[in-house]
Amino acid sequence: MKKFNIRKVLDGLTAGSSSSSSQQQQQQQQQQQQPGSRENEVQETLQSEHFQLCKTVRHGFPYQPSALAFDPVQKILAVGTQTGALRLFGRPGVECYCQHDSGAAVIQLQFLINEGALVSALADDTLHLWNLRQKRPAILHSLKFSRERITFCHLPFQSKWLYVGTERGNIHIVNVESFTLSGYVIMWNKAIELSSKSHPGPVVHISDNPMDEGKLLIGFESGTVALWDLKSKKADYRYTHDEAIHSVAWHHEGKQFICSHSDGTLTIWNVKSPTKPVQTITPHGKQLKDGKKPEPCKPILKVEFKTTRSGEPFIILSGGLSYDTVGRRPCLTVMHGKSTAVLEMDYSIVDFLTLCETPYPNDFQEPYAVVVLLEKDLVLIDLAQNGYPIFENPYPLSIHESPVTCCEYFADCPVDVIPALYSVGARQKRQGYSKKEWPISGGNWGLGTQSYPEIIITGHADGSIKFWDASAITLQVLYKLKTSKVFEKSRNKDDRLNTDIVDEDPYAIQIISWCPESRMLCIAGVSAHVIIYRFSKQEVTTEVIPMLEIRLLYEINDVDSPELEQVPPLPTPVGGSNPQPIPPQSHPSTSSSSSDGLRDNVPCLKVKSSPFKQSPGYQAELVIQLVWVGGEPPQQITSLAVNSSYGIVVFGNCNGIAMVDYLQKAVLLNLGTIELYGSNDPYRREPRSPRKSRQPSGAGLCDINEGTIVPEDRCKSPTSDIKDNSFSRSRSSSVTSIDKESREAISALHFCETYTRKTDSSPSPCLWVGTTLGTVLVIALNIPPGGEQRLLQPVIVSPSGTILRLKGAILRMAFLDNTGCLVPPAYEPWREYNVSEEKDEKDKLKKRRPVSVSPSSSQEISENQYAVICSEKQAKVISLPTQNCAYKQNITETSFVLRGDIVALSNSICLACFCANGHIMTFSLPSLRPLLDVYYLPLTNMRIARTFCFTNNGQALYLVSPTEIQRLTYSQETCENLQEMLGELFTPVETPEAPNRGFFKGLFGGGAQSLDREELFGESASGKASRSLAQHIPGPGGIEGVKGAASGVVGELARARLALDERGQKLGDLEERTAAMLSSADSFSKHAHEMMLKYKDKKWYQF
């Protein structure tokens, strides 16, 4: 994984040359000349050297897997993918991701067993040797074949000679140490000689006889198999079958082998009887009574033949089902003695491997498990238990169980949140797993120096939400919430009454708003629905879920504004411009149609009306749904915020904004965006056709991102066509469209306690609203006192008249105090609300709100707080309450910011931005000095745009593929500590002893025959290979390997130093231990005496 050098950016460099920026510079100079100016007093500690960008870890299931390998001694699993990725798995928590630069598909992987190395064969006919003895594996050597295509590789255990089969039917031999070709070649025509008139096809199998390394079994696709004698350079036997071969496997005694064929049959052959197979089996064929051949079945893609000391051998195969099993799921078949178990899989099988007790092919294999690599899952089957149960998978491979539609990342959460989520999530575990330990147990964990809790929340297409513990670069699922449970399932299409905005996935999550301190969770879904959840450890039965329906309509019918939009009168009264609270709708909602048959006042989903149990965890508090208005579906929600201290949730879309008091279950505000401006509307709104802007049905989650359903060509931002791997988007003022300016979406919402107007002398609760046209509006909130009064008195909401302007859609807002520290939104700490005893204490519980330091009389009141506002184009820091622009930074001229977050790092804070042109940038606060600007990755798809997020302590993540999360860091400190935090893949393990040949076998022969391959394949015996056949390429891992070794030495020195420090400490403990040892020595001598008496009279061979 690459580390990036940071272009150090000149501090204070501003990127704007427009007239507004020059005005701002003048303004800045004026401010700096003021003696009482506060800007200079904020001590900024972050510098460029605090930042460095590097990838940390990749979690999730390897996307589009294509190959599988296992080291039975190291107990490490390797998975290769179609995009050239390599994922290595050890014990739970030990994972590694590597990438072949070419991006070609991995067709085969072979471990150098217990050597800490792996050979990969790629579809571009290259072989690579990976060094796994370093924390970040690297390629030591590569070999590129130029005249032949690689189809199959085989590396015998404890051999350095790799057999490489090709499409032409030839076999080349590679020295794995030097990665050079031997002059020894097995040509296809020599191998088959006159046994076949035509070309036998590509090599599909190579393996040596388990009992004689000098005999090589070669399987050709057409059905021919040859047993090649390496010493005499000729074939001993040839076995021909009229069905194509897919795979071959040996019996460990080397007297029989089994082939799987394209007609669903298995043939078992005796080595010395090449004329016909001893047995032909069709595992899934219907046996016909009159002795006819069974009907052909689908091909058996792979077969493995594993023996046990104490019973029948196992024959394990994939494929081979009969053709009439239409709709049957892919199966793995386990044949053991007379029993045949057919194990159904959820996805198609890519490959499987049987895990055995021994790495030696000439010993009883004793299989104990099967690893099955599926298209979208990894399954381990326990062969030792009846019914073949699966092992519970400890890796975080279920990220994509339903496609991820959004995600949020929280570093430095309250310490009690992860245990709370874990305890409710533990009850969701499935039963029926194998009782045994997970068998892939290699490697060692890294030293986790980061101790703060991290949580990732993923929202999914099926409406589920998953909470993950992401602390110390690991990932583990904590808890899963199904938001669809609050809705009635529509049994058939007619039930839906065409109310869905989307054809499929009507529950898909678009936005997640979570407050870690209060544990309040709020989600917005694709069907224009919002659900508010509280966290509880108690199970409750909910009689009726409280529900509100809101008509959020964009409409102007104000007589005083002739140039504004004229909407044809609708047959139903419009509530869009009415800011009065709307009484909650009756439950269940009554659907109605207007007189002309248009859908009206109907929500897209139907909330459950019968009582239902809510398990411990997140429990629905309130469901809010936007309804159809005059045949127009409700527009999807573009922003969402919840505040536990105020008891308010607010959300907006391209029609307007709605605010709801979730404690009183009342609508506080329901306004079209234009009405937020009041008389201050700076835009000339043009008329539009009333149905023009209806979103196409199923705009779906491919188009979701905060602020994407927006006016003018901003609609294109995350969905526009990608040219040259980056987004280009016209921003010229000459662009006009019928819908221009009229659809101003709400793109950012932020609750805070600050100054709402210039004249304010103290902060008060308010909501800051950002729109896609770059406007920030402030709404003042008057919250009743806590306790009973909060539930009885109404919350009073009033637009303050404050308007601020930026270029580009507003993405994020935050507030700093006059020392430059972040002022977090108010919150109420979590408490269990389902316990009745606490009711009396409700009044005592005071809401926690941040307190602004009131300025002393000697200081000017004007510089009490800073508002930080980040848009798609620029960032501004505004002094409050004066509302002067203190600092401004034009982030990008040619691109636009996709994600901006105000985050904590190294006891300070900064603004972190990810641009559509692939740049990651950070800026100091409040002065917006550029600190980091690194080209990281171009925005090549919507998934990255939808899921990229920054969080505290220099952490960030995005969905790199539909199944994987890529985490990265922009913190120099984390980059430096990363090496320590990563796990070790290779651990020194002794290779098990070779099987005992036995007294008689040694005397009369018949044991395993060894072979001096060096004598056969070395340069002195076989000469040099043709230079034009393959090209050797030294890998970067050669240097890396040396570095790894060097860092090992450095590590040893560091350890020695540590050991010295510890020694002083240990000497202190020594006296206490000496006393303990004396007493234990005393008891030991007693035991020893007893043992001696017990065994005194036994002879040595009786022990």
Side-chain angles (χ1 to χ4, degrees), residues 1068-1098:
D1069 302 340
L1070 204 59
E1071 288 175 34
E1072 296 164 32
R1073 288 194 193 170
T1074 311
M1077 281 169 73
L1078 281 170
S1079 65
S1080 68
D1082 198 34
S1083 65
F1084 176 74
S1085 69
K1086 273 186 207 165
H1087 283 294
H1089 188 65
E1090 286 165 21
M1091 289 278 280
M1092 186 266 291
L1093 292 172
K1094 185 176 173 184
Y1095 290 111
K1096 194 168 66 170
D1097 300 327
K1098 289 195 176 182

mmCIF file of all heavy atoms in Angstrom, residues 1068-1098:
data_model
loop_
_atom_site.group_PDB
_atom_site.id
_atom_site.type_symbol
_atom_site.label_atom_id
_atom_site.label_comp_id
_atom_site.label_asym_id
_atom_site.label_seq_id
_atom_site.Cartn_x
_atom_site.Cartn_y
_atom_site.Cartn_z
ATOM 1 N N GLY A 1068 12.675 -5.499 41.229
ATOM 2 C CA GLY A 1068 11.861 -5.181 42.409
ATOM 3 C C GLY A 1068 10.880 -6.309 42.740
ATOM 4 O O GLY A 1068 10.649 -6.632 43.905
ATOM 5 N N ASP A 1069 10.332 -6.889 41.668
ATOM 6 C CA ASP A 1069 9.349 -7.960 41.904
ATOM 7 C C ASP A 1069 10.022 -9.263 42.336
ATOM 8 O O ASP A 1069 9.380 -10.172 42.848
ATOM 9 C CB ASP A 1069 8.574 -8.266 40.598
ATOM 10 C CG ASP A 1069 7.878 -7.032 40.084
ATOM 11 O OD1 ASP A 1069 7.682 -6.118 40.896
ATOM 12 O OD2 ASP A 1069 7.529 -7.006 38.873
ATOM 13 N N LEU A 1070 11.352 -9.319 42.113
ATOM 14 C CA LEU A 1070 12.056 -10.586 42.262
ATOM 15 C C LEU A 1070 11.987 -11.141 43.688
ATOM 16 O O LEU A 1070 11.771 -12.337 43.893
ATOM 17 C CB LEU A 1070 13.519 -10.401 41.833
ATOM 18 C CG LEU A 1070 14.251 -11.657 41.386
ATOM 19 C CD1 LEU A 1070 13.534 -12.292 40.213
ATOM 20 C CD2 LEU A 1070 15.686 -11.351 41.001
ATOM 21 N N GLU A 1071 12.167 -10.225 44.679
ATOM 22 C CA GLU A 1071 12.178 -10.691 46.069
ATOM 23 C C GLU A 1071 10.873 -11.389 46.418
ATOM 24 O O GLU A 1071 10.858 -12.468 47.011
ATOM 25 C CB GLU A 1071 12.410 -9.501 47.006
ATOM 26 C CG GLU A 1071 13.846 -8.994 46.940
ATOM 27 C CD GLU A 1071 14.013 -7.738 47.778
ATOM 28 O OE1 GLU A 1071 13.341 -7.637 48.817
ATOM 29 O OE2 GLU A 1071 14.811 -6.876 47.387
ATOM 30 N N GLU A 1072 9.735 -10.722 46.018
ATOM 31 C CA GLU A 1072 8.436 -11.323 46.324
ATOM 32 C C GLU A 1072 8.326 -12.690 45.658
ATOM 33 O O GLU A 1072 7.852 -13.657 46.250
ATOM 34 C CB GLU A 1072 7.303 -10.426 45.809
ATOM 35 C CG GLU A 1072 7.263 -9.078 46.498
ATOM 36 C CD GLU A 1072 6.418 -8.074 45.714
ATOM 37 O OE1 GLU A 1072 5.454 -8.523 45.074
ATOM 38 O OE2 GLU A 1072 6.741 -6.881 45.758
ATOM 39 N N ARG A 1073 8.790 -12.754 44.390
ATOM 40 C CA ARG A 1073 8.665 -14.016 43.665
ATOM 41 C C ARG A 1073 9.528 -15.110 44.279
ATOM 42 O O ARG A 1073 9.157 -16.279 44.264
ATOM 43 C CB ARG A 1073 9.073 -13.820 42.200
ATOM 44 C CG ARG A 1073 8.050 -13.023 41.432
ATOM 45 C CD ARG A 1073 8.292 -13.142 39.973
ATOM 46 N NE ARG A 1073 7.511 -12.141 39.253
ATOM 47 C CZ ARG A 1073 7.681 -11.884 37.974
ATOM 48 N NH1 ARG A 1073 8.592 -12.536 37.293
ATOM 49 N NH2 ARG A 1073 6.937 -10.987 37.363
ATOM 50 N N THR A 1074 10.717 -14.725 44.789
ATOM 51 C CA THR A 1074 11.619 -15.723 45.360
ATOM 52 C C THR A 1074 10.930 -16.455 46.510
ATOM 53 O O THR A 1074 10.981 -17.676 46.617
ATOM 54 C CB THR A 1074 12.912 -15.042 45.869
ATOM 55 O OG1 THR A 1074 13.404 -14.204 44.843
ATOM 56 C CG2 THR A 1074 13.975 -16.068 46.221
ATOM 57 N N ALA A 1075 10.236 -15.666 47.328
ATOM 58 C CA ALA A 1075 9.528 -16.274 48.467
ATOM 59 C C ALA A 1075 8.470 -17.255 47.965
ATOM 60 O O ALA A 1075 8.337 -18.376 48.463
ATOM 61 C CB ALA A 1075 8.881 -15.167 49.303
ATOM 62 N N ALA A 1076 7.735 -16.806 46.907
ATOM 63 C CA ALA A 1076 6.685 -17.673 46.347
ATOM 64 C C ALA A 1076 7.302 -18.942 45.763
ATOM 65 O O ALA A 1076 6.758 -20.044 45.906
ATOM 66 C CB ALA A 1076 5.926 -16.912 45.269
ATOM 67 N N MET A 1077 8.485 -18.803 45.120
ATOM 68 C CA MET A 1077 9.129 -19.956 44.497
ATOM 69 C C MET A 1077 9.599 -20.971 45.536
ATOM 70 O O MET A 1077 9.532 -22.180 45.320
ATOM 71 C CB MET A 1077 10.330 -19.510 43.655
ATOM 72 C CG MET A 1077 9.893 -18.960 42.296
ATOM 73 S SD MET A 1077 11.228 -18.149 41.443
ATOM 74 C CE MET A 1077 12.208 -19.552 40.966
ATOM 75 N N LEU A 1078 10.070 -20.468 46.687
ATOM 76 C CA LEU A 1078 10.521 -21.384 47.732
ATOM 77 C C LEU A 1078 9.387 -22.300 48.175
ATOM 78 O O LEU A 1078 9.549 -23.504 48.311
ATOM 79 C CB LEU A 1078 11.055 -20.590 48.933
ATOM 80 C CG LEU A 1078 12.480 -20.040 48.780
ATOM 81 C CD1 LEU A 1078 12.797 -19.081 49.916
ATOM 82 C CD2 LEU A 1078 13.493 -21.192 48.790
ATOM 83 N N SER A 1079 8.198 -21.673 48.367
ATOM 84 C CA SER A 1079 7.067 -22.488 48.821
ATOM 85 C C SER A 1079 6.642 -23.466 47.729
ATOM 86 O O SER A 1079 6.301 -24.615 48.004
ATOM 87 C CB SER A 1079 5.892 -21.622 49.264
ATOM 88 O OG SER A 1079 5.392 -20.930 48.157
ATOM 89 N N SER A 1080 6.682 -23.004 46.450
ATOM 90 C CA SER A 1080 6.266 -23.919 45.374
ATOM 91 C C SER A 1080 7.301 -25.038 45.201
ATOM 92 O O SER A 1080 6.953 -26.170 44.902
ATOM 93 C CB SER A 1080 6.045 -23.170 44.066
ATOM 94 O OG SER A 1080 7.262 -22.701 43.573
ATOM 95 N N ALA A 1081 8.585 -24.734 45.456
ATOM 96 C CA ALA A 1081 9.627 -25.765 45.345
ATOM 97 C C ALA A 1081 9.395 -26.845 46.404
ATOM 98 O O ALA A 1081 9.587 -28.046 46.155
ATOM 99 C CB ALA A 1081 11.004 -25.133 45.534
ATOM 100 N N ASP A 1082 8.967 -26.396 47.553
ATOM 101 C CA ASP A 1082 8.684 -27.326 48.642
ATOM 102 C C ASP A 1082 7.581 -28.313 48.239
ATOM 103 O O ASP A 1082 7.710 -29.526 48.392
ATOM 104 C CB ASP A 1082 8.261 -26.495 49.865
ATOM 105 C CG ASP A 1082 8.365 -27.306 51.140
ATOM 106 O OD1 ASP A 1082 9.282 -28.149 51.210
ATOM 107 O OD2 ASP A 1082 7.524 -27.098 52.038
ATOM 108 N N SER A 1083 6.486 -27.757 47.685
ATOM 109 C CA SER A 1083 5.374 -28.636 47.297
ATOM 110 C C SER A 1083 5.785 -29.524 46.115
ATOM 111 O O SER A 1083 5.372 -30.672 46.009
ATOM 112 C CB SER A 1083 4.134 -27.819 46.939
ATOM 113 O OG SER A 1083 4.389 -27.052 45.798
ATOM 114 N N PHE A 1084 6.665 -29.003 45.245
ATOM 115 C CA PHE A 1084 7.112 -29.783 44.090
ATOM 116 C C PHE A 1084 7.906 -31.021 44.539
ATOM 117 O O PHE A 1084 7.734 -32.107 44.020
ATOM 118 C CB PHE A 1084 7.990 -28.897 43.181
ATOM 119 C CG PHE A 1084 8.575 -29.643 42.000
ATOM 120 C CD1 PHE A 1084 7.766 -29.988 40.932
ATOM 121 C CD2 PHE A 1084 9.911 -30.011 41.973
ATOM 122 C CE1 PHE A 1084 8.297 -30.672 39.850
ATOM 123 C CE2 PHE A 1084 10.443 -30.706 40.906
ATOM 124 C CZ PHE A 1084 9.626 -31.032 39.832
ATOM 125 N N SER A 1085 8.761 -30.834 45.548
ATOM 126 C CA SER A 1085 9.567 -31.967 46.002
ATOM 127 C C SER A 1085 8.674 -33.064 46.568
ATOM 128 O O SER A 1085 8.927 -34.249 46.384
ATOM 129 C CB SER A 1085 10.604 -31.512 47.031
ATOM 130 O OG SER A 1085 9.959 -31.126 48.227
ATOM 131 N N LYS A 1086 7.579 -32.644 47.232
ATOM 132 C CA LYS A 1086 6.630 -33.641 47.745
ATOM 133 C C LYS A 1086 6.040 -34.449 46.602
ATOM 134 O O LYS A 1086 6.003 -35.671 46.620
ATOM 135 C CB LYS A 1086 5.499 -32.926 48.503
ATOM 136 C CG LYS A 1086 5.790 -32.669 49.957
ATOM 137 C CD LYS A 1086 4.540 -32.094 50.614
ATOM 138 C CE LYS A 1086 4.951 -31.228 51.808
ATOM 139 N NZ LYS A 1086 3.838 -30.379 52.236
ATOM 140 N N HIS A 1087 5.554 -33.719 45.561
ATOM 141 C CA HIS A 1087 4.946 -34.388 44.398
ATOM 142 C C HIS A 1087 5.944 -35.312 43.714
ATOM 143 O O HIS A 1087 5.622 -36.433 43.326
ATOM 144 C CB HIS A 1087 4.458 -33.346 43.375
ATOM 145 C CG HIS A 1087 3.173 -32.706 43.780
ATOM 146 N ND1 HIS A 1087 1.983 -33.396 43.859
ATOM 147 C CD2 HIS A 1087 2.893 -31.421 44.147
ATOM 148 C CE1 HIS A 1087 1.021 -32.579 44.248
ATOM 149 N NE2 HIS A 1087 1.548 -31.371 44.438
ATOM 150 N N ALA A 1088 7.176 -34.863 43.590
ATOM 151 C CA ALA A 1088 8.203 -35.647 42.908
ATOM 152 C C ALA A 1088 8.441 -36.969 43.651
ATOM 153 O O ALA A 1088 8.595 -38.028 43.047
ATOM 154 C CB ALA A 1088 9.491 -34.839 42.826
ATOM 155 N N HIS A 1089 8.460 -36.864 44.984
ATOM 156 C CA HIS A 1089 8.679 -38.063 45.792
ATOM 157 C C HIS A 1089 7.549 -39.068 45.578
ATOM 158 O O HIS A 1089 7.778 -40.264 45.398
ATOM 159 C CB HIS A 1089 8.786 -37.669 47.268
ATOM 160 C CG HIS A 1089 9.209 -38.806 48.141
ATOM 161 N ND1 HIS A 1089 10.456 -39.400 48.030
ATOM 162 C CD2 HIS A 1089 8.535 -39.480 49.124
ATOM 163 C CE1 HIS A 1089 10.529 -40.384 48.911
ATOM 164 N NE2 HIS A 1089 9.380 -40.453 49.584
ATOM 165 N N GLU A 1090 6.307 -38.536 45.555
ATOM 166 C CA GLU A 1090 5.148 -39.417 45.328
ATOM 167 C C GLU A 1090 5.240 -40.092 43.956
ATOM 168 O O GLU A 1090 4.955 -41.277 43.799
ATOM 169 C CB GLU A 1090 3.841 -38.603 45.415
ATOM 170 C CG GLU A 1090 3.474 -38.233 46.849
ATOM 171 C CD GLU A 1090 2.413 -37.133 46.895
ATOM 172 O OE1 GLU A 1090 1.706 -36.956 45.884
ATOM 173 O OE2 GLU A 1090 2.300 -36.465 47.939
ATOM 174 N N MET A 1091 5.614 -39.334 42.946
ATOM 175 C CA MET A 1091 5.738 -39.873 41.584
ATOM 176 C C MET A 1091 6.792 -40.979 41.531
ATOM 177 O O MET A 1091 6.613 -42.007 40.899
ATOM 178 C CB MET A 1091 6.164 -38.760 40.603
ATOM 179 C CG MET A 1091 5.094 -37.736 40.329
ATOM 180 S SD MET A 1091 3.944 -38.299 39.089
ATOM 181 C CE MET A 1091 4.869 -37.951 37.615
ATOM 182 N N MET A 1092 7.890 -40.740 42.213
ATOM 183 C CA MET A 1092 8.980 -41.709 42.200
ATOM 184 C C MET A 1092 8.511 -43.041 42.785
ATOM 185 O O MET A 1092 8.772 -44.113 42.238
ATOM 186 C CB MET A 1092 10.159 -41.141 43.009
ATOM 187 C CG MET A 1092 11.431 -41.968 42.978
ATOM 188 S SD MET A 1092 11.562 -43.115 44.353
ATOM 189 C CE MET A 1092 11.801 -42.014 45.730
ATOM 190 N N LEU A 1093 7.768 -42.953 43.891
ATOM 191 C CA LEU A 1093 7.253 -44.177 44.515
ATOM 192 C C LEU A 1093 6.316 -44.915 43.571
ATOM 193 O O LEU A 1093 6.327 -46.133 43.455
ATOM 194 C CB LEU A 1093 6.520 -43.833 45.820
ATOM 195 C CG LEU A 1093 7.410 -43.302 46.959
ATOM 196 C CD1 LEU A 1093 6.552 -42.823 48.121
ATOM 197 C CD2 LEU A 1093 8.377 -44.387 47.442
ATOM 198 N N LYS A 1094 5.464 -44.108 42.855
ATOM 199 C CA LYS A 1094 4.455 -44.700 41.967
ATOM 200 C C LYS A 1094 5.102 -45.481 40.818
ATOM 201 O O LYS A 1094 4.635 -46.552 40.428
ATOM 202 C CB LYS A 1094 3.558 -43.574 41.415
ATOM 203 C CG LYS A 1094 2.397 -44.057 40.584
ATOM 204 C CD LYS A 1094 1.528 -42.853 40.172
ATOM 205 C CE LYS A 1094 0.463 -43.266 39.207
ATOM 206 N NZ LYS A 1094 -0.317 -42.119 38.725
ATOM 207 N N TYR A 1095 6.169 -44.929 40.211
ATOM 208 C CA TYR A 1095 6.753 -45.534 39.014
ATOM 209 C C TYR A 1095 8.028 -46.350 39.287
ATOM 210 O O TYR A 1095 8.695 -46.779 38.369
ATOM 211 C CB TYR A 1095 7.072 -44.437 37.990
ATOM 212 C CG TYR A 1095 5.836 -43.830 37.409
ATOM 213 C CD1 TYR A 1095 5.469 -42.510 37.691
ATOM 214 C CD2 TYR A 1095 4.998 -44.587 36.573
ATOM 215 C CE1 TYR A 1095 4.318 -41.970 37.160
ATOM 216 C CE2 TYR A 1095 3.846 -44.044 36.049
ATOM 217 C CZ TYR A 1095 3.506 -42.741 36.337
ATOM 218 O OH TYR A 1095 2.363 -42.214 35.799
ATOM 219 N N LYS A 1096 8.364 -46.538 40.581
ATOM 220 C CA LYS A 1096 9.638 -47.156 40.948
ATOM 221 C C LYS A 1096 9.849 -48.523 40.287
ATOM 222 O O LYS A 1096 10.918 -48.847 39.799
ATOM 223 C CB LYS A 1096 9.706 -47.285 42.476
ATOM 224 C CG LYS A 1096 11.099 -47.605 42.963
ATOM 225 C CD LYS A 1096 11.205 -47.440 44.480
ATOM 226 C CE LYS A 1096 10.347 -48.481 45.200
ATOM 227 N NZ LYS A 1096 10.611 -48.502 46.649
ATOM 228 N N ASP A 1097 8.786 -49.330 40.288
ATOM 229 C CA ASP A 1097 8.946 -50.711 39.825
ATOM 230 C C ASP A 1097 8.660 -50.911 38.341
ATOM 231 O O ASP A 1097 8.670 -52.045 37.858
ATOM 232 C CB ASP A 1097 8.047 -51.638 40.658
ATOM 233 C CG ASP A 1097 8.422 -51.547 42.130
ATOM 234 O OD1 ASP A 1097 9.629 -51.353 42.399
ATOM 235 O OD2 ASP A 1097 7.521 -51.609 42.988
ATOM 236 N N LYS A 1098 8.314 -49.847 37.587
ATOM 237 C CA LYS A 1098 7.986 -50.029 36.163
ATOM 238 C C LYS A 1098 9.235 -49.984 35.304
ATOM 239 O O LYS A 1098 10.177 -49.243 35.595
ATOM 240 C CB LYS A 1098 7.009 -48.939 35.700
ATOM 241 C CG LYS A 1098 5.620 -49.135 36.279
ATOM 242 C CD LYS A 1098 4.597 -48.287 35.548
ATOM 243 C CE LYS A 1098 3.190 -48.592 36.085
ATOM 244 N NZ LYS A 1098 2.165 -47.844 35.398
#
